[in-house]
Amino acid sequence: MLKLTDLTASVGEAGEARTILNGLSLEVPAGEVHAIMGPNGAGKSTLSYVLTGKAGYEVSGGSAWLDGHDLLALDPEERAALGLFLSFQYPLEVPGVPVMTFVRAAMNAQRKARGEAEISAPDFIKMARDIGKELNLSADMLKRPLNVGFSGGEKKRLEIFQMRMLEPRFAILDETDSGLDIDALRIVAEGVNALRSPERGMLVITHYQRLLDYIVPDKVHVLSHGRVILTGGPELALRLEKEGYDGIEGAAA
Amino acid sequence: MGGSGFLQGFAMDSRVKDGIDQETVAAARALESENYRAGFSTDIETEYAPKGLDESTVRFISAKKDEPDWLLDWRLKAYQRWLTMTEPDWAMVEYDPINYQDIYFYAAPKAGAKYESLDDVPREILETYEKLGIPLREAEVLLGVEGAAETAAAAREPRRIAVDAVFDSVSVATTFRAELEKAGVIFMSISEAVHQHPDLIKAYLGSVVPQSDNYFATLNSAVFSDGTFVYIPPGVRCPMELSTYFRMNAENTGQFERTLIIADKGAYVSYLEGCTAPMRDENQLHAAVVELVALDDAEIKYSTVQNWWPGDETGKGGIYNFVTKRGDCRGPRSKISWTQVETGSAVTWKYPSCILRGDDSVGEFYSIAVTNGRQMADTGTKMIHLGKRTRSRIISKGISAGRSDNTYRGLVSINGKAAQARNFTQCDSLLIGGDCGAHTVPYVENRRADAQLEHEATTTKLSEDQLFYVRQRGLGEEDAVALLVNGFVREVLQELPMEFAVEAQSLLKVSLEGSVG
Ligand SMILES: Nc1ncnc2c1ncn2[C@@H]1O[C@H](COP(=O)(O)OP(=O)(O)O)[C@@H](O)[C@H]1O
Ligand SMILES: [Mg+2]
């Protein structure tokens, strides 16, 4: 489903550009959830931005394919319409735009791009209410401007709310667990698990093993200096927890 | 606004922004004269007054309208006054001097259709109409196409004006009139009102914006073409929103429009001016005057959408919009509320103001001003607190894009007798791109220790990160900008009547097209 081959990318002005992704290869088949772990600065967020098409990242080599689409050739909104979703590590504020308005605009924009009909207002409201309830987001919260004045944990739940509403085919979660207390973590994990299906794939970027108790991955990849240095099953996360990144990096080198 | 300054008796702000291409404005003026038809005559039967302005022009206009002597005298007095005045130059806008001897000050209201059919209308204009979702039949009226319906409203889809679908366009207008008549509301052109309601005109014309007020208002007093007159009798709540859309021949009010609205004791009216359709006009100078009078417990809500032609990307051919709008809260507990969405014109110079004379009266100003390309806007309000416990509220949202300049200029004045007066001012600026300017120039004059004044101001740049976040969710770049901008102006959009607000949203999007990327 998602296939990354030798992905190489840099940031910064020409002349002082810095290579962040350094020949990264990875494959997530449909139906699987993979975790990406790695120390701070390893390039995890950079990977999520390169895949979703944020400006400022220069891809100098390699390829990224989603379901037979060359992601790197598409605009961010075109990738979104293919069903690529990113739960941001630091969600942005959208002042004056209520959560509901925002999600509905996004949903209809994607549907339009795919040649589908818009969702009806009653269907949308019912869906939002049901999913909001599961994520412990009240109707009042969903009327407030997106991410404005919400706590860190609430913002992460709002990211998952958007993901559930948009029903992406492939989701990338960038440290959605950081800053969450144990209850919020469980709510978020349930939200993610609800979306697991044979047609969908996910990349769960995390720093801690903790989240993987709730979202059990099919595979774990360890990212260091912009490339995958080790791939294993869920047990790899436990080993990381015990030995730390230094130990693993040493062993893999 | 006295004499040539924004503030009477205050230090003048003479900061003028440099760098606007003089050639652009010169070219715009050249284009303007080309557009005028050659050949005019002083003959009373012809459609045009002679080019230029002197006493005979004023007499010509008055005679054309068959005006009573008192009004002719009123105009002449204004003209004499105007001769002694000099054009103001304090606003943060720059344009070539206007040659008043090179302007036609009068064109007959029915000068004929501008286009023979929609095929003759330039394609980019039609595309804009389409983007705004304006039906073709309505576009015909707004653009002045031969054989169009009489008013834009009549051309509208029946559902949009809440009238049974079986009505045809003529009966829509008739139904509308009958309903107003039943309520005792007077709603007609000011030329008609001069003849039908001379006492009201005499009593109120120039009572809010005196003839001598400022250069452009004085000019308007001498040569005003036409405009709207509204009177709401005591205790009457006007049964519907009044809109220029519903007034006959509204598209031909000309460049010196004059509007007078009176809400008698306990009356209420909501008035909508302008429309989202891009209004192209061969007259480059627009100097309108709007006067509002609210008596005891009355309320006037005045909403404007201004989308005059801003000129092309280089600023060529745009309108100069120099307007004087003022409301007088004459009676206790009266309220006047201005809401404006300003997206058009090459140069805008406009400060809808409230004189809070009655005790406990309330003034409000909600504004969205968008500048893009080479546009310049200097706009804001004046809240003059005279009565006790008067309150005012100012919410201004300026959006600058392209190479434009956007200035908020406001005055809050608390008079010595305005015990416990209160004002809240919030000025937010949003910058799109790095080549535009936003300026905030608030003045406060306070003579009371017990006044409560609050002022908040922010300037933000539309961030790449925000745009990316929205695009990641599936919105294209222009839709993403529009969504963020609509969020920025939400507080003001909420003040607009529902239907206007929806139209204003698409207007904002169209106005900001091409501002990123
Ligand atoms: N826009 C940028 N400009 C310069 N350096 C950047 C930029 N974005 C990321 N980096 C650098 O790239 C490296 C990887 O960052 P990031 O992908 O955020 O790591 P992670 O998410 O794994 O912690 C870091 O050293 C970071 O400082
Ligand atoms: Mg990160």
Side-chain angles (χ1 to χ4, degrees), chain A residues 49 52-54 75-77 80 84-88 91-98 102 105-106 109-110 145-147 159 162 166, chain B residues 460 463-480 482-491 494 505 509:
Chain A
Y49 291 146
T52 47
K54 189 175 181 187
D75 281 336
E77 58 272 23
L84 184 63
F85 179 91
L86 171 61
S87 166
F88 283 63
L92 279 293
E93 293 189 357
V94 187
V97 182
F102 180 86
Q110 290 194 15
L146 180 57
N147 294 331
E159 292 290 287
Q162 293 176 59
L166 295 171
Chain B
T460 41
S463 84
E464 287 290 331
D465 286 351
Q466 248 179 341
L467 265 180
F468 173 65
Y469 183 72
V470 180
R471 291 179 72 185
Q472 203 300 305
R473 300 302 187 238
L475 277 84
E477 191 164 45
E478 274 171 357
D479 289 325
L483 183 91
L484 292 169
V485 166
N486 278 323
F488 175 72
V489 301
R490 188 160 81 120
E491 269 173 286
Q494 283 172 340
Q505 286 196 22
K509 184 178 166 202

Side-chain angles (χ1 to χ4, degrees), chain A residues 27-39:
Chain A
E27 194 171 349
V28 184
E32 292 194 8
V33 173
H34 289 197
I36 291 194
M37 302 184 76

Side-chain angles (χ1 to χ4, degrees), chain A residues 44-45 89 174-175:
Chain A
K44 302 184 298 294
S45 292
Q89 182 173 5
D174 190 359
E175 299 209 23

Side-chain angles (χ1 to χ4, degrees), chain B residues 160-331:
Chain B
R160 303 195 63 172
I161 41 174
V163 175
D164 194 328
V166 299
F167 282 94
D168 64 22
S169 57
V170 178
S171 55
V172 167
T174 316
T175 313
F176 180 79
R177 284 210 182 134
E179 210 172 319
L180 287 181
E181 217 160 280
K182 213 171 79 194
V185 170
I186 303 172
F187 179 41
M188 57 178 59
S189 80
I190 203 157
S191 309
E192 265 178 280
V194 165
H195 296 287
Q196 295 190 29
H197 303 281
D199 293 347
L200 286 171
I201 299 285
K202 254 190 197 163
Y204 289 102
L205 188 72
S207 75
V208 185
V209 178
Q211 283 195 337
S212 58
D213 194 80
N214 71 76
Y215 188 82
F216 295 110
T218 308
L219 177 63
N220 176 291
S221 302
V223 300
F224 71 88
S225 32
D226 210 337
T228 302
F229 176 74
V230 175
Y231 172 80
I232 316 289
V236 170
R237 190 180 168 89
C238 187
M240 67 223 358
E241 257 140 14
L242 297 181
S243 154
T244 36
Y245 266 45
F246 291 101
R247 230 203 57 224
M248 294 294 162
N249 304 327
E251 65 276 20
N252 287 320
T253 41
Q255 51 189 342
F256 300 102
E257 194 167 345
R258 184 105 199 174
T259 300
L260 175 59
I261 299 177
I262 302 144
D264 212 320
K265 293 180 181 175
Y268 169 85
V269 64
S270 165
Y271 183 81
L272 316 180
E273 169 198 55
C275 60
T276 56
M279 297 299 272
R280 219 185 169 125
D281 193 309
E282 54 210 35
N283 303 307
Q284 191 176 23
L285 171 66
H286 278 243
V289 170
V290 176
E291 299 179 277
L292 311 182
V293 180
L295 300 185
D296 308 12
D297 300 292
E299 179 175 349
I300 302 176
K301 196 170 160 50
Y302 193 105
S303 311
T304 304
V305 171
Q306 186 268 115
N307 190 19
W308 291 102
W309 185 242
D312 64 15
E313 319 82 67
T314 64
K316 255 185 222 169
I319 303 274
Y320 297 170
N321 192 25
F322 302 140
V323 186
T324 305
K325 290 185 164 176
R326 195 171 305 155
D328 190 353
C329 285
R330 214 163 272 185

